Amino acid sequence: MKKITLLINCKDRSGIIANVTNFIAKNYGNIVYIDQHVDREQNIFFMRLESEFKKDTFTMEVFKTKFKTDLADTFDMKWRVYAAEDIPKMALFVSKYDHCLYDILGRYNSGELDVDIPFIVSNHNDLKPIADSFNIPFYHIPVTKDTKAEAEQKQLELCKTFGIHFIVLARYMQIVSSKIINQYPNKVINIHHSFLPAFVGAKPYHSAYKRGVKIIGATSHYVTEELDAGPIIEQDVTRVSHTHAIGDLIAKGRDLEKIVLANAIKLHIKRKVMVYNNKTVIFS
Amino acid sequence: MKKITLLINCKDRSGIIANVTNFIAKNYGNIVYIDQHVDREQNIFFMRLESEFKKDTFTMEVFKTKFKTDLADTFDMKWRVYAAEDIPKMALFVSKYDHCLYDILGRYNSGELDVDIPFIVSNHNDLKPIADSFNIPFYHIPVTKDTKAEAEQKQLELCKTFGIHFIVLARYMQIVSSKIINQYPNKVINIHHSFLPAFVGAKPYHSAYKRGVKIIGATSHYVTEELDAGPIIEQDVTRVSHTHAIGDLIAKGRDLEKIVLANAIKLHIKRKVMVYNNKTVIFS
Amino acid sequence: MKKITLLINCKDRSGIIANVTNFIAKNYGNIVYIDQHVDREQNIFFMRLESEFKKDTFTMEVFKTKFKTDLADTFDMKWRVYAAEDIPKMALFVSKYDHCLYDILGRYNSGELDVDIPFIVSNHNDLKPIADSFNIPFYHIPVTKDTKAEAEQKQLELCKTFGIHFIVLARYMQIVSSKIINQYPNKVINIHHSFLPAFVGAKPYHSAYKRGVKIIGATSHYVTEELDAGPIIEQDVTRVSHTHAIGDLIAKGRDLEKIVLANAIKLHIKRKVMVYNNKTVIFS
Amino acid sequence: MKKITLLINCKDRSGIIANVTNFIAKNYGNIVYIDQHVDREQNIFFMRLESEFKKDTFTMEVFKTKFKTDLADTFDMKWRVYAAEDIPKMALFVSKYDHCLYDILGRYNSGELDVDIPFIVSNHNDLKPIADSFNIPFYHIPVTKDTKAEAEQKQLELCKTFGIHFIVLARYMQIVSSKIINQYPNKVINIHHSFLPAFVGAKPYHSAYKRGVKIIGATSHYVTEELDAGPIIEQDVTRVSHTHAIGDLIAKGRDLEKIVLANAIKLHIKRKVMVYNNKTVIFS
């Protein structure tokens, strides 16, 4: 069987669900998953659907053409369709912190992440040994104020060369410019070490410590031009108290960062995230 | 508009979703919510659907008849359909603990619970003042080993008289027998003050204290013949430590009990719960 | 036995703990609880101690005098001492939201809160019936831009008349001015319906909804002159998703507000909170 | 400065705290941390204390002798004292699951765990590459029903040879017998993949799935002769739903196992755990 995942959003109106399910049936598909959501404030309809088709009679291009003509144009839909057997290629950007990198590579190694990791890029050389121990090509591309544009150009070229589908900033400490964001809109995942929108920017643990919060968090989001302001994919928190000095907050926060980033990556890989209005709809 | 909620489960097979959405469309309904789940281990399909129909042309009885003939029989479905405007009638059974009762009545009073509470039943008289302050009829039906059958008979008669749809045991301390369960299968909601299946039965806080757990919980479930073993609707937990004596566990647990029970009641009222294999599917 | 609670803070230095425990022993006290914390960044020492004394030989005034002379002056301590049998008097300020009020009064009624509630003040009349049903005097003091100073004067007079020790703003929707804060420094507890420092000010649920956070929270803090910026006593969170419209966020948030406020009140009553540097040390 | 950690427990009685702090002062120590707990049900007193001494004038042996004579005998105390600079030696036992091993070694490598890991033992050879990549000696000691006693003998010999202080079973799938437990009482830490006491024994995720719980957990505990019944050190949970098949429960649970085990190890290393009555007192 050939399995596809279809993601749709459009202005809500009567009959969308029936029309979509009818379309799939008319094209000999068997729907194995369907979930929808209507943002009633904005009157937007979202749907995620998985369907199976007989391998011999299904062609992705034909399906896409028909979908556009029969449905998408009529309902003025924004849509994406993926073939289940297509494994996305994920680029990893890192700096000096190793915890997120270790965590991702450990999961990758054990088959937990259904991706391909063609290379790791870093503005420092410190994490090369880790990349080597996992047999993944490591590219050291230093970044300074003056060389930033060039560096990003090299990064983009690597991404093109390796056919990268999305980028994960695993505690990558450089701000990613629109140069990259525009090539990968809603495809650059960052982990910010605070519970957004609290403590945006640098040294959030220090700010959290100063404010005396009783809970700290980590947030994974798609990168947009405004720092730490992009659509949130996943967040998690842990309790802290006066007994935690800044070092303790950082240590506790590291565990959160690992899990929140890994979960966001998994949701993205499984095509469960739809972005609208700088927010995400996460299908189960 | 007339709005209905339709809940279906049956053996999974190709075409169910398309057939159901088609059926709704053919009967001039507009689906405003659809969610499904397939238990792949048991090969069971579950669906929850909300649809709107024009008031003048929709008759519940006609719809039910057509549904049975056109779909349910074909797919051998178990199904229930509810009209959105039908407010369920909920009976409250209490003993001496007042916290869950207070919590439920407070929410009821402020319109948070879309139910009707025709009466409160108790095996003690202690909570009568609370029922009175909320203007709800209170029936004191004592229960002893010898009078249990009679007491349950009176409880059942009250339920019939008032057209009760479901019963909530809000820290009701008597075991409810099959006499009642059989009249209200998957319609008697209990709150058990532990994180099931840990600490079944009496004095779970004492057992939790003895075991030295670092987390305690509360569980809301449908009552079945086996004590505390029915399908779980909702659970929640809170952290505890050695600094908590049994009294502290009980105090912390009370807050959990209130919220877990209230959430289970809300899920039931909104027809978001389907029971299968002694487990629940909770639609979002 | 006479039991006291002693709270101390001062610049950290060698020998404080030994000196304090020695002092208690020399005055025939038996320490039943001791906990300390050192803020190493600021080099501040905090201690909370509970001690028992024989009733006949203990006088609070004498103890205080000796403590000042023998310890406090030497170590330049800030300190407070409480007699266990002194029940604090708590004033409740409310507006129209009833959920926190209900929750607090329910706990008060069942003996869970070791306080005295001499009166409830409100800028509206809506919640009078609830106060009446719990037999607590209710004072309606309307507040407008022009009458604010007078209103606060009346509020203060009520507090003086009834010997109020601390004030709880239970979803009281007026900003409390320095007029009141200065009379009750670190003694006015507010519940803010967000996870501070995110979403300060009005309509936090609307802002949370707009930002698309996956977790919402509630925060209890002592009121200072800067809005929602005072020392945080307690916070808690709950998960939300795209399926939650603003009304759902508000409903979920209400449960958090009740528990977070109740917990903050309990910590305050039990003298477990010390404020320093706009943060709190919470003893277990 | 020389820093020590002192752990005491004994029957509670008047004057213990004063006596202990006095003793430290008389021996020219400066207490930098003190925390105590009284189990009022059992009337047991627990204390954890950290104190600094001038290097030149402090001898551990002398201190221990004095402590025994001046305090421990008088109050019939059970006690342990550690020098801060002594790094505990930790043995890791693993089978085939790699996630906990990876997690621990990643933290070890980055300096997060203040231990020494002299070797890793396994009943399979699968995880040797991981040990090699972290440059830690790996010993493959197969275990069958018939060879179990011998295998345990070899494990014990390795532990003696390397001066092991405590053993961590990182998803080690063999039951550890009293042969080992008796040599390392309250020094063998296990991670059980359920929220104890629910789902003791094999395949807890399968049992959790069958019961339809809405929350799963992981528990770290000291191993005793009764399976999964030893004193609990740390537990944590995560929410699940009907959408999670057994494989999903296992995947979610793995993240919990890693964190719960790592946290338990850290608490043990920092001498923050005291065992009594098959429960733990965890100092902050």
Side-chain angles (χ1 to χ4, degrees), chain D residues 131-202:
Chain D
D132 291 347
S133 75
F134 282 90
N135 291 317
I136 298 176
F138 182 90
Y139 295 89
H140 175 208
I141 301 177
V143 176
T144 69
K145 222 181 196 174
D146 303 316
T147 65
K148 188 170 178 118
E150 279 179 58
E152 289 206 328
Q153 190 50 41
K154 287 190 193 143
Q155 291 169 346
L156 271 176
E157 278 161 20
L158 272 171
C159 290
K160 298 292 167 204
T161 305
F162 286 95
I164 292 302
H165 293 108
F166 72 108
I167 298 168
V168 168
L169 311 178
R171 287 308 303 272
Y172 180 65
M173 302 304 281
Q174 291 292 321
I175 289 180
V176 164
S177 83
S178 52
K179 197 179 171 70
I180 295 193
I181 298 171
N182 292 344
Q183 295 296 317
Y184 290 95
N186 294 328
K187 293 183 187 175
V188 181
I189 299 176
N190 184 43
I191 179 72
H192 180 72
H193 40 312
S194 87
F195 175 58
L196 293 175
F199 313 124
V200 163

Side-chain angles (χ1 to χ4, degrees), chain B residues 35-37 39-42 195-199 208-217 221 228-237 239 241-244 246 277-284, chain D residues 35-37 39-42 195-199 208-217 221 228-237 239 241-244 246 277-284:
Chain B
D35 194 11
Q36 48 62 243
H37 168 66
D39 180 333
R40 302 202 178 281
E41 203 210 20
Q42 301 262 320
F195 174 59
L196 292 175
F199 313 124
Y209 180 76
K210 184 159 188 246
R211 184 62 187 93
V213 286
K214 301 299 177 183
I215 291 176
I216 57 169
H221 64 99
D228 297 329
I232 293 169
I233 306 168
E234 166 83 334
Q235 296 180 288
D236 203 356
V237 299
R239 297 197 78 89
S241 76
H242 63 274
T243 64
H244 294 98
I246 294 177
N277 250 3
N278 204 48
K279 307 196 297 183
T280 60
V281 170
I282 309 283
F283 293 98
S284 61
Chain D
D35 194 11
Q36 49 60 244
H37 168 65
D39 180 332
R40 300 198 181 282
E41 203 212 21
Q42 300 262 321
F195 175 58
L196 293 175
F199 313 124
Y209 179 76
K210 186 159 186 247
R211 183 63 186 91
V213 288
K214 300 300 177 184
I215 290 176
I216 56 169
H221 64 99
D228 297 329
I232 292 170
I233 307 167
E234 166 83 335
Q235 298 181 282
D236 203 358
V237 298
R239 296 197 78 89
S241 75
H242 61 274
T243 64
H244 294 99
I246 294 178
N277 250 2
N278 205 46
K279 310 197 294 182
T280 59
V281 170
I282 309 282
F283 293 97
S284 59

Side-chain angles (χ1 to χ4, degrees), chain A residues 195 214 230 235 242 280 282, chain C residues 195 211 214 235 242 280 282:
Chain A
F195 174 59
K214 301 299 178 183
Q235 296 181 285
H242 61 274
T280 60
I282 309 282
Chain C
F195 175 60
R211 183 64 185 92
K214 300 299 176 184
Q235 298 182 283
H242 61 274
T280 60
I282 309 282

Side-chain angles (χ1 to χ4, degrees), chain B residues 100-262:
Chain B
C100 286
L101 179 62
Y102 252 133
D103 184 84
I104 291 169
L105 295 182
R107 297 172 193 264
Y108 177 59
N109 220 44
S110 63
E112 191 185 318
L113 297 180
D114 218 359
V115 265
D116 201 19
I117 303 180
F119 67 86
I120 295 168
V121 146
S122 180
N123 54 326
H124 295 283
N125 227 357
D126 305 52
L127 303 184
K128 185 177 191 318
I130 300 182
D132 291 346
S133 75
F134 283 88
N135 291 317
I136 297 175
F138 181 91
Y139 295 90
H140 175 207
I141 301 177
V143 176
T144 69
K145 221 180 197 174
D146 303 317
T147 65
K148 185 166 179 121
E150 281 178 58
E152 289 206 328
Q153 190 50 40
K154 287 188 196 146
Q155 291 169 346
L156 272 177
E157 278 160 18
L158 273 171
C159 291
K160 297 291 165 202
T161 305
F162 285 93
I164 291 303
H165 293 107
F166 72 109
I167 298 168
V168 167
L169 310 178
R171 286 309 301 271
Y172 180 64
M173 303 303 283
Q174 291 292 320
I175 289 179
V176 164
S177 85
S178 52
K179 197 178 171 67
I180 293 193
I181 299 170
N182 292 344
Q183 294 298 317
Y184 291 94
N186 294 327
K187 293 183 188 173
V188 181
I189 299 176
N190 183 43
I191 179 72
H192 180 73
H193 40 312
S194 87
F195 174 59
L196 292 175
F199 313 124
V200 163
K203 297 192 174 295
Y205 289 125
H206 290 74
S207 305
Y209 180 76
K210 184 159 188 246
R211 184 62 187 93
V213 286
K214 301 299 177 183
I215 291 176
I216 57 169
T219 305
S220 211
H221 64 99
Y222 289 120
V223 175
T224 55
E225 294 209 26
E226 196 186 334
L227 183 65
D228 297 329
I232 293 169
I233 306 168
E234 166 83 334
Q235 296 180 288
D236 203 356
V237 299
T238 187
R239 297 197 78 89
V240 294
S241 76
H242 63 274
T243 64
H244 294 98
I246 294 177
D248 301 312
L249 294 187
I250 293 174
K252 284 203 101 180
R254 267 199 310 249
D255 283 341
L256 278 181
E257 294 166 36
K258 290 187 288 189
I259 291 192
V260 169
L261 181 55

Side-chain angles (χ1 to χ4, degrees), chain D residues 52-75:
Chain D
E52 286 177 336
F53 296 87
K54 281 207 163 77
K55 258 203 171 119
D56 354 331
T57 44
F58 179 86
T59 318
M60 184 60 102
E61 285 317 310
V62 171
F63 177 84
K64 282 170 145 178
T65 308
K66 284 192 187 178
F67 186 84
K68 186 184 185 308
T69 325
D70 297 2
L71 270 178
D73 288 346
T74 316
F75 288 92

Side-chain angles (χ1 to χ4, degrees), chain C residues 11-249:
Chain C
K11 215 164 186 55
D12 188 37
R13 53 181 257 204
S14 178
I16 305 178
I17 297 176
N19 273 278
V20 174
T21 54
N22 248 353
F23 173 84
I24 298 293
K26 257 194 275 179
N27 285 278
Y28 308 105
N30 177 39
I31 301 173
V32 292
Y33 173 99
I34 187 170
D35 195 11
Q36 49 59 244
H37 168 65
V38 176
D39 179 332
R40 301 199 180 282
E41 203 213 19
Q42 300 263 319
N43 203 35
I44 305 288
F45 171 89
F46 301 86
M47 175 183 270
R48 180 180 185 277
L49 177 152
E50 289 180 21
S51 182
E52 288 177 335
F53 295 89
K54 280 203 163 80
K55 258 203 171 117
D56 353 330
T57 45
F58 178 87
T59 317
M60 183 61 102
E61 285 316 310
V62 171
F63 178 85
K64 281 169 145 178
T65 307
K66 284 191 186 179
F67 186 84
K68 185 183 184 310
T69 324
D70 295 3
L71 272 177
D73 288 344
T74 315
F75 287 92
D76 193 25
M77 293 173 169
K78 289 195 181 65
W79 58 284
R80 300 177 275 152
V81 61
Y82 302 93
E85 72 264 14
D86 292 346
I87 310 291
K89 291 185 187 340
M90 174 178 104
L92 273 172
F93 284 31
V94 296
S95 291
K96 292 192 179 197
Y97 291 114
D98 64 358
H99 56 285
C100 286
L101 179 63
Y102 252 134
D103 185 83
I104 291 170
L105 295 183
R107 298 172 192 264
Y108 176 60
N109 219 43
S110 62
E112 190 185 319
L113 297 181
D114 220 359
V115 267
D116 199 18
I117 304 180
F119 67 86
I120 295 167
V121 146
S122 180
N123 55 326
H124 294 282
N125 228 357
D126 304 54
L127 303 184
K128 185 178 191 318
I130 300 182
D132 292 347
S133 73
F134 282 89
N135 291 316
I136 298 175
F138 181 91
Y139 296 89
H140 176 207
I141 301 176
V143 177
T144 69
K145 221 182 195 172
D146 303 318
T147 64
K148 186 168 180 118
E150 281 179 57
E152 290 207 327
Q153 190 50 40
K154 288 188 193 144
Q155 291 168 347
L156 272 178
E157 277 161 21
L158 272 171
C159 290
K160 298 290 167 204
T161 304
F162 285 94
I164 291 301
H165 293 106
F166 71 109
I167 298 168
V168 167
L169 311 178
R171 288 308 305 272
Y172 180 65
M173 301 304 283
Q174 291 293 322
I175 290 181
V176 164
S177 84
S178 53
K179 197 181 172 66
I180 295 194
I181 298 171
N182 293 344
Q183 295 297 317
Y184 291 94
N186 294 328
K187 293 184 189 171
V188 181
I189 300 175
N190 183 43
I191 179 70
H192 179 72
H193 39 313
S194 88
F195 175 60
L196 292 176
F199 313 125
V200 162
K203 296 190 175 298
Y205 289 125
H206 289 73
S207 305
Y209 180 75
K210 186 158 186 245
R211 183 64 185 92
V213 287
K214 300 299 176 184
I215 291 176
I216 57 168
T219 306
S220 210
H221 63 100
Y222 289 118
V223 175
T224 56
E225 293 208 28
E226 195 185 334
L227 183 65
D228 297 330
I232 291 170
I233 307 167
E234 167 81 334
Q235 298 182 283
D236 204 356
V237 298
T238 187
R239 298 197 76 89
V240 294
S241 75
H242 61 274
T243 64
H244 294 98
I246 295 179
D248 301 312
L249 294 188

